[in-house]
Amino acid sequence: DPAPAAYRSTLSTRCNYSHCSIIDITMPSSAIWKTKFTQVFNCPLPIMGAPMAGVSGGLLAAETCRAGALGFVAAGHADNLDSLDKEIALFRTHAPIDLVTGKGAPLALGFITHSTCKNGDFTTLRTLLQKYEPKYVQF
């Protein structure tokens, strides 16, 4: 590597799927993004892993965070709470830990609002927000 360590930043991730290997992304420090998005969401890359119902689970959200972006766990219609419990547990188990603060990556949940809050009933949504305490929520 021609760039001295002082002039580069490395983001490393290990994918938990059998077909993946360790991925190292090395960028010059000058390539680290400084945008409103990276400042507000405190992540190095201005990328959001979208909360796609049935697809964006805890492992995908955790790996998205490991790669330096903001990863969302899809809560979808909030109709399968056992599955949501498992996905959030996977996220909290596999999400990166900040070595300075000791805190894990912030939980971000995405809902399909028209079905989560049918007929203006926000009971399920309130219960889930109190239970999981996500830092970010998308509707």
Side-chain angles (χ1 to χ4, degrees):
D1 184 3
Y7 296 102
R8 62 186 161 93
S9 174
T10 301
L11 301 172
S12 296
T13 183
R14 185 168 154 226
C15 186
N16 292 316
Y17 303 102
S18 60
H19 62 278
C20 293
S21 59
I22 294 178
I23 301 167
D24 287 317
I25 303 168
T26 303
M27 301 179 288
S29 294
S30 62
I32 299 298
W33 292 75
K34 292 190 191 253
T35 67
K36 186 74 169 173
F37 184 94
T38 61
Q39 291 170 350
V40 169
F41 297 109
N42 194 29
C43 56
L45 300 173
I47 299 170
M48 179 183 110
M52 300 169 287
V55 179
S56 302
L59 285 176
L60 180 59
E63 294 302 329
T64 301
C65 291
R66 284 188 184 284
L70 178 63
F72 271 81
V73 174
H77 304 281
D79 56 356
N80 187 342
L81 301 182
D82 289 336
S83 177
L84 184 57
D85 280 341
K86 290 175 187 170
E87 294 303 326
I88 290 174
L90 281 170
F91 174 80
R92 289 189 166 145
T93 299
H94 296 282
I97 304 292
D98 185 315
L99 297 177
V100 175
T101 66
K103 294 181 180 179
L107 176 62
L109 290 178
F111 293 91
I112 299 174
T113 311
H114 73 274
S115 59
T116 303
C117 305
K118 292 177 188 166
N119 301 317
D121 183 0
F122 292 87
T123 306
T124 301
L125 179 62
R126 277 191 205 105
T127 301
L128 294 174
L129 294 177
Q130 289 172 347
K131 180 177 181 178
Y132 298 121
E133 299 180 337
K135 181 154 185 171
Y136 307 112
V137 179
Q138 188 248 1
F139 296 101

